[in-house]
Amino acid sequence: MRRARRIEKVPPYLFAEMDRKRREAVARGVDVISLGIGDPDLPTPDFIVDRLVHEARDPATHHYPPYEGTVVFRQAVATYYGRRFGVDLDPDREVMALIGSKEGLAHLIWAFVDPGDAVLVPDPGYPVYGTHALLAGGTVVPLPLRPELDFLADLEAVTAEDRHRAKMMFLCYPNNPTAGTADIGFFRRAVEFARDSDTLLVNDSAYVEVTFDNYEAPSVLQVRGAKDVAVEFGSLSKPFNMTGWRLGYAVGNPEAISALGIIKTNTDSGQFEAIQRAGAEALTSPAAREAIRRMRGIYQRRRDVAVETLTRLGCPVRRPRGSFYVWAPVPAGYTSAAFAAHVLEAAGVIITPGSAYGARGEGYFRISLTVPDARLDEAFRRLAACVTW
Ligand code: MLT
């Protein structure tokens, strides 16, 4: 058997590796607490589950769905964008349903990157952008996220040559993994950058509803003219605790959406229509605001526990306004990987080493606040017993 050379360039998927380590520790009898993957412990709100149960009984949902997503789901995404961001979307040309935003982010790259093309990828960043750029034969150009800029991408750092070569530029705000947040002024600069360099701007907005302290994160499409150069990817996973349902959307520039459709129609056959109907309910029901308010309150309390405990231990951590991650420097004398290994060994707690997100993640670790409060408290008790900064 001879596998394609392209997969030799790809490291094992971060969270698959972490899951392997977790299972090994559990097999050794360790009571492991995973603060690794961002998979909400909270259940999907009842009003969404009830809708799925109801729709799954309608045989009309049992067929292949339309490739681009159902009219009802795409209209619901457009309604959500109108109400939440004041952005008008044409559900026929500017919205596409996805089997989770990860799928769409990966496939968009295949629609835009030819061998040798450059792709600007946040460093540190969610691994999918860079991995698929490499698989498609592209060159990854790291786009530095700097702590002194509150982890905004340093657009000024991109050389004139890279600017010219770049076919795509990825952003992610609220940010995974650093929890940095962007305001509309930053998005304005990014749109201008994309326009000047003829680059497709892609904002991954999976965490746009996971925000604290009354902060409401913007959409890049709120920038005037953004649709000329940008697309945004959204997910139902994080706002509604639906990671296992696999439902997301791509919105924005119609040419980019149609290019994505060429890859997708030839690859998948869409998400189960009952899930799309329940997803439309999630995006448009009045019950959604209350569900989101409760979700924000829960993560905000957990964030405060995390930040206060780490600060007490001497860790210079920032108090994030968005995402359910806490990103902090490892203690002196450790690499990211050595610190994650130490914390698993000494405390039975899984954290994500920052180095897994790119060279600029070295020296950091990420905590996900997606475990029940009592387990989070227990994880911090154990951490406090085995680390100081
Ligand atoms: C993460 O932990 O970074 C996310 O859960 C990964 C994902 O959304 O695929």
Side-chain angles (χ1 to χ4, degrees):
M1 195 186 297
R2 288 164 300 149
R3 306 204 294 190
R5 273 193 300 278
R6 76 172 69 84
I7 68 166
E8 284 160 17
K9 300 181 206 157
V10 175
Y13 188 57
L14 169 62
F15 292 108
E17 274 300 282
M18 287 176 59
D19 197 45
R20 193 179 54 73
K21 287 195 181 137
R22 184 186 61 77
R23 278 186 277 113
E24 276 170 14
V26 169
R28 290 199 306 273
V30 181
D31 170 27
V32 175
I33 304 176
S34 176
L35 308 181
I37 194 163
D39 186 2
D41 56 304
L42 308 163
T44 306
D46 281 344
F47 77 96
I48 305 172
V49 176
D50 290 347
R51 186 69 193 258
L52 171 67
V53 169
H54 176 77
E55 298 298 350
R57 294 205 176 280
D58 177 358
T61 66
H62 299 175
H63 302 282
Y64 286 122
Y67 284 101
E68 61 283 5
T70 63
V71 173
V72 169
F73 181 72
R74 285 181 286 118
Q75 181 57 58
V77 173
T79 300
Y80 164 72
Y81 261 74
R83 285 187 191 152
R84 171 71 171 77
F85 304 112
V87 168
D88 276 338
L89 290 175
D90 174 351
D92 291 333
R93 298 169 57 243
E94 297 175 340
V95 182
M96 178 162 292
L98 303 172
I99 309 174
S101 58
K102 179 180 181 183
E103 172 265 297
L105 287 160
H107 281 141
L108 185 71
I109 292 168
W110 290 91
F112 278 87
V113 175
D114 285 318
D117 286 344
V119 181
L120 289 164
V121 170
D123 179 12
Y126 181 45
V128 172
Y129 323 132
T131 301
H132 276 273
L134 287 178
L135 283 171
T139 307
V140 170
V141 178
L143 182 58
L145 306 195
R146 298 194 194 281
E148 59 276 22
L149 300 177
D150 193 21
F151 296 108
L152 288 180
D154 187 357
L155 302 173
E156 306 291 315
V158 182
T159 64
E161 193 198 339
D162 285 340
R163 218 175 218 263
H164 183 68
R165 291 194 310 144
K167 272 258 190 87
M168 303 178 85
M169 169 166 74
F170 283 88
L171 297 175
C172 170
Y173 290 102
N175 185 253
N176 177 17
T178 67
T181 47
D183 56 19
I184 198 74
F186 172 76
F187 280 151
R188 227 173 261 131
R189 295 198 296 283
V191 166
E192 208 175 300
F193 178 103
R195 191 188 305 281
D196 289 351
S197 42
D198 190 20
T199 300
L200 174 64
L201 169 56
V202 184
N203 185 45
D204 175 356
S205 76
Y207 300 88
V208 74
E209 295 296 356
V210 189
T211 55
F212 316 122
D213 308 327
N214 300 318
Y215 167 67
E216 294 282 349
S219 158
V220 73
L221 299 184
Q222 285 172 280
V223 176
R224 194 191 305 271
K227 265 196 249 169
D228 298 342
V229 293
V231 283
E232 190 157 74
F233 282 72
S235 170
L236 277 79
S237 292
K238 320 287 168 162
F240 301 112
N241 315 318
M242 290 171 67
T243 49
W245 298 50
R246 309 315 302 141
L247 188 61
Y249 50 82
V251 294
N253 181 275
E255 274 172 60
I257 298 288
S258 119
L260 172 61
I262 292 172
I263 303 290
K264 276 181 63 62
T265 48
N266 284 289
T267 308
D268 67 65
S269 301
Q271 182 50 281
F272 181 26
E273 182 156 348
I275 288 182
Q276 295 193 48
R277 291 187 190 175
E281 175 86 25
L283 289 169
T284 54
S285 161
R289 287 324 300 169
E290 178 53 21
I292 285 174
R293 199 188 58 76
R294 289 192 44 230
M295 172 273 289
R296 289 176 175 178
I298 290 167
Y299 290 130
Q300 184 169 322
R301 280 198 303 281
R302 292 179 187 173
R303 174 207 63 175
D304 290 342
V305 168
V307 168
E308 270 137 41
T309 312
L310 289 170
T311 305
R312 203 157 8 93
L313 294 173
C315 173
V317 62
R318 319 155 78 87
R319 188 179 295 268
R321 289 195 297 177
S323 84
F324 42 51
Y325 302 118
V326 173
W327 177 256
V330 301
Y334 285 102
T335 61
S336 293
F339 184 60
H342 168 67
V343 169
L344 179 56
E345 185 64 33
V349 172
I350 293 186
I351 57 174
T352 312
S355 49
Y357 298 98
R360 285 177 183 276
E362 179 53 75
Y364 288 88
F365 67 101
R366 191 194 79 170
I367 278 177
S368 176
L369 302 171
T370 48
V371 294
D373 294 10
R375 291 295 273 170
L376 193 69
D377 290 345
E378 168 67 14
F380 279 111
R381 257 196 303 280
R382 294 190 203 169
L383 270 181
C386 73
V387 289
T388 49
W389 270 257

